[in-house]
Amino acid sequence: MNLADSPFLRACRRRPVPHTPVWYMRQAGRSLPEYLKVREGVPMLTACATPDMIVEITMQPVRRYGVDAAIYFSDIVVPLKAIGVDLDIKPGVGPVVADPIRDAKGLEALRPLEPGDVPFVTESIQALTGELGGTPLIGFAGAPFTLGSYLIEGGPSKNHDRTKAMMYGAPELWHALMERLSGIVLEHLRIQIAAGASAVQLFDSWVGAVAVDDYREFILPHTRRIFEGIAGVPRIHFGVGTGELLGVLGEAGADVVGVDWRVPLDEAARRVGPGKALQGNLDPAILLAPWEVVERKAREVLRRGRAAEGHVFNLGHGVLPSTDPDQLKRLTDLVHAFTPES
């Protein structure tokens, strides 16, 4: 199949498709026994910098499920590590930053990213595109707010208190941090596209913590800069808990707006407005229920997704570690076979 004719890329561009395309956030990872075997004893950031491992892990769900797109195996903090930020990914915790950024001096740790900082990205993507053939590869990056929260808090945070304190209390410092991060993120995405990625997704995982007006003032200009700096491939924008932000997420410039499980897709289409495709949005926890429940809920997502100008089926967030891979295989087959009458 010609890559440009792939159902995933056609849906992203709001063109007719032979079936609803499907891929899953975190499809390459913790729920797969073959992934656990490859990763055994290997730290996450080591795996993310080892081309052979990146290629194998990225390909695993494509082989097992027959999804319509692969997503590059990595982590959102990889570009920060590559420019020298002292951080690690602690099992069961997440990214932990040794020296959180709390003042202007801390910004000095954030130099621009260059292709030579991440040669493993270019090598891995070039190898993957050769192996994937007509299946698109999605590159990705973390958005400035989410990366900024890790850098300010020093690790994962439930309420993002220090992050918001800087945003509200030191707006000049905040915008300087966002500006540096948006430059790093944009370059990271451009490197992936230059190497052969067919689409990119910007993960703003924690941006649902802010109000609409604050998003417009403190985040939108920097997200818009990233999307305006990318050309030639579909751009996907995703965050968690962003039901109230869907309209402004659409304004940021992406072609596809990812929707978590909290807002039905027909309502999401209304909030986002015309000119965008949608991606989502089955609750990942539903996959832990009996198949009859999964099937009923998935059909509902597919039916509501018809309200969108283009629909890429996905989960509302990442695959949970305890998910049975056979459920995802059955779900993939169901999505591919779905018709409104069935």
Side-chain angles (χ1 to χ4, degrees):
M1 178 175 61
N2 186 323
L3 191 60
D5 286 332
S6 79
F8 167 74
L9 293 177
R10 290 185 66 85
C12 288
R13 294 181 170 123
R14 297 175 288 123
R15 294 176 183 165
V17 290
H19 61 258
T20 301
V22 52
W23 70 279
Y24 307 109
M25 287 180 277
R26 293 199 186 128
Q27 65 186 14
R30 304 168 295 177
S31 66
L32 291 178
E34 54 265 45
Y35 167 80
L36 297 174
K37 184 177 179 181
V38 169
R39 273 289 315 281
E40 191 173 359
V42 181
M44 180 63 173
L45 287 173
T46 301
C48 291
T50 307
D52 289 350
M53 196 170 285
I54 294 168
V55 172
E56 169 59 23
I57 293 171
T58 302
M59 290 300 302
Q60 286 174 350
V62 179
R63 298 187 199 116
R64 183 185 271 262
Y65 303 135
V67 286
D68 294 283
I71 184 161
Y72 180 70
F73 173 74
S74 187
D75 189 272
I76 62 170
V77 300
V78 164
L80 300 180
K81 181 75 171 179
I83 62 170
V85 176
D86 187 356
L87 60 82
D88 196 10
I89 298 176
K90 304 286 187 186
V93 178
V96 177
V97 179
D99 300 305
I101 294 176
R102 306 273 168 80
D103 53 33
K105 191 173 188 310
L107 293 180
E108 294 171 9
L110 300 178
R111 67 168 176 82
L113 180 74
E114 300 172 0
D117 296 320
V118 286
F120 51 88
V121 171
T122 299
E123 182 181 341
S124 304
I125 290 179
Q126 288 175 343
L128 276 165
T129 52
E131 196 162 333
L132 284 164
T135 300
L137 176 68
I138 305 168
F140 77 91
F145 177 87
T146 294
L147 292 178
S149 179
Y150 283 122
L151 289 171
I152 296 165
E153 306 286 344
S157 170
K158 181 178 281 189
N159 298 314
H160 311 279
D161 299 337
R162 289 180 179 272
T163 306
K164 289 185 173 183
M166 182 188 291
M167 191 172 77
Y168 294 131
E172 289 186 8
L173 176 60
W174 171 264
H175 283 294
L177 173 61
M178 291 295 101
E179 191 168 322
R180 291 206 183 201
L181 286 172
S182 61
I184 292 165
V185 169
L186 177 54
E187 181 60 20
H188 191 218
L189 291 172
R190 284 173 169 170
I191 289 167
Q192 294 174 69
I193 294 166
S198 300
V200 290
Q201 175 157 310
L202 189 67
F203 282 88
D204 213 347
S205 305
W206 310 136
V207 79
V210 304
V212 173
D213 288 348
D214 294 330
Y215 184 97
R216 286 191 186 279
E217 180 177 354
F218 295 109
I219 299 163
L220 180 61
H222 307 287
T223 310
R224 185 174 276 154
R225 174 192 172 192
I226 293 168
F227 285 128
E228 287 178 349
I230 296 167
V233 301
R235 303 155 297 175
I236 309 168
H237 195 186
F238 173 75
V240 183
T242 52
E244 296 300 320
L245 301 178
L246 286 172
V248 71
L249 289 182
E251 293 174 28
D255 306 289
V256 185
V257 176
V259 185
D260 78 2
W261 65 92
R262 295 170 176 86
V263 179
L265 286 181
D266 47 356
E267 171 61 17
R270 187 190 69 78
R271 294 185 188 185
V272 171
K276 307 287 179 184
L278 296 185
Q279 178 176 279
N281 68 339
L282 187 71
D283 187 338
I286 287 171
L287 287 161
L288 308 182
W291 169 250
E292 293 71 23
V293 179
V294 177
E295 181 177 19
R296 176 168 53 84
K297 292 287 192 178
R299 288 183 183 279
E300 183 178 336
V301 169
L302 286 159
R303 281 193 294 270
R304 290 180 181 271
R306 291 181 62 80
E309 295 179 26
H311 179 212
V312 176
F313 189 97
N314 207 314
L315 305 181
H317 199 197
V319 176
L320 297 172
S322 55
T323 304
D324 179 355
D326 290 342
Q327 290 276 65
L328 281 170
K329 172 59 177 161
R330 291 184 75 177
L331 178 58
T332 305
D333 293 343
L334 170 70
V335 174
H336 284 163
F338 174 81
T339 61
E341 300 79 25
S342 61

